Amino acid sequence: MGFRKKSKSPPVLSHEFVIQNHADMVSCVAMIVLLGLMFEMTAKFAIMFITVQYNVTETLDTEDKPEPVSYYKYGPKDMATVFFYLLIAIILHALIQEYILDKINRRLHLSKTKHSKFNESGQLATFYSFSFIWGCSILTNEEFVTNPTFLWEGYPHIHMAFQVKFFYICQIAYWFHALPELYFQKVRKEDIPRQLYYICLYIFHITGAYVLNLHRLGLVLLVPHYLVELSCHIRPGLCLSRRFTLWALLFVITRLLTLTVSVLTFGFGLSRTDNQGFSLAEGNFNVLTVRVTCLSAICLTQAWMMWKFINFQLKKWREQSQIQASKKKAVSPKSRPSKKDSRGETFLKVILYVDYNKTHVYLSFVHN
């Protein structure tokens, strides 16, 4: 990991050297981009990596006087901004790992398997909590609570507020940074396919919502999903429970909410708007093919998540039933004594019974 002092340094540019010092290397690249702001020749290129691009200013007519309002569109230059904040995400990932998670791991003395799961849950819990709070703050300024039709009214939604666009830039950058982290964190081979599945799904859905000008729908679906994932990773016992706990109930409700909002938006809202057609220049993708593709992708993803959830619960129930069966076998009574020992055992029981009666009488006599 970066920021870690080692007594023995591995060979330069070896795998171990890159893994241990990747955060320092990435910090140098980010510093080069920031230093570009100091020179006039490179400032226009450096600012493309740091600031949000494609600013559009519109004038809103109010009762007193017109007020200029700034909005943002998306374009090819956003890839440079995503790349820079991908570097920032790698640096923050190393800082959280080094100064928080590693210190907790030293106190807990976890095994290698639990150590890797703890690191994964710690990183994801931090990201989910930050994204959930940020997403809620954005939604409070929108009209979804009072008017759900804002999901499709006025489509295409080519104009975004600064917070909305920066939110999507950070989301895309974070999930792209998770790909090289599989190498930097030395993730086990058996865990790589599982992590690749959900990383690619996040990249596919978030980028799709951003490019297709469906950022309103994407934000509404991401916030409750992040809440469920946060409740899972902030306390792993909720996910590992053998019964339908609060986390399981939230998971099922969120899947149903996602399907309901998606069907309402693509099946009823966008299909009935006046602005139908396909135009890359205008950012309009409101055609039947795109709507069916988007709705199918969301439904298939939710069905896959529910399938994994059901299999997970069934697996835990089987394990619990096996544990209970083994406990019953361990507590079961011993076999009956043989005929040779039955006489002696009966004699011992009679003596114990008599002694118990005498003791009982003696105690009751003393008590009286």
Side-chain angles (χ1 to χ4, degrees), residues 90-103:
I90 292 176
I91 297 171
L92 293 176
H93 189 115
L95 288 172
I96 295 171
Q97 184 68 41
E98 176 70 19
Y99 295 103
I100 299 177
L101 298 180
D102 284 351
K103 291 184 178 180

Side-chain angles (χ1 to χ4, degrees), residues 241-351:
S241 177
R242 294 176 289 269
R243 299 179 180 180
F244 279 98
T245 57
L246 177 61
W247 172 81
L249 183 62
L250 288 175
F251 184 90
V252 175
I253 292 175
T254 303
R255 303 285 76 78
L256 295 176
L257 177 64
T258 301
L259 291 174
T260 303
V261 175
S262 301
V263 172
L264 184 65
T265 302
F266 292 108
F268 298 96
L270 292 175
S271 61
R272 297 181 181 181
T273 57
D274 298 331
N275 194 4
Q276 301 282 335
F278 182 86
S279 175
L280 290 175
E282 298 178 358
N284 188 6
F285 304 94
N286 192 9
V287 292
L288 179 62
T289 305
V290 176
R291 292 198 303 268
V292 171
T293 303
C294 293
L295 185 59
S296 300
I298 295 174
C299 292
L300 289 175
T301 303
Q302 303 306 308
W304 177 76
M305 294 176 68
M306 282 299 302
W307 175 255
K308 299 287 287 185
F309 171 77
I310 293 172
N311 287 334
F312 179 80
Q313 293 292 338
L314 291 176
K315 180 181 177 181
K316 290 300 175 182
W317 284 340
R318 293 193 196 101
E319 292 177 356
Q320 177 63 14
S321 60
Q322 291 176 359
I323 293 173
Q324 291 180 353
S326 61
K327 287 182 178 180
K328 288 181 180 179
K329 290 180 180 179
V331 180
S332 59
K334 298 181 180 180
S335 57
R336 294 182 179 179
S338 58
K339 294 182 179 179
K340 295 180 180 179
D341 299 334
S342 60
R343 183 176 178 182
E345 185 177 355
T346 306
F347 179 73
L348 179 62
K349 287 182 179 180
V350 171
I351 293 176

Side-chain angles (χ1 to χ4, degrees), residues 1-27:
M1 290 301 302
F3 311 108
R4 187 176 297 176
K5 297 180 180 180
K6 295 290 182 180
S7 57
K8 294 183 180 180
S9 59
V12 180
L13 298 181
S14 63
H15 289 287
E16 192 65 28
F17 179 84
V18 174
I19 291 172
Q20 290 183 10
N21 302 280
H22 73 273
D24 299 323
M25 298 177 180
V26 172
S27 300

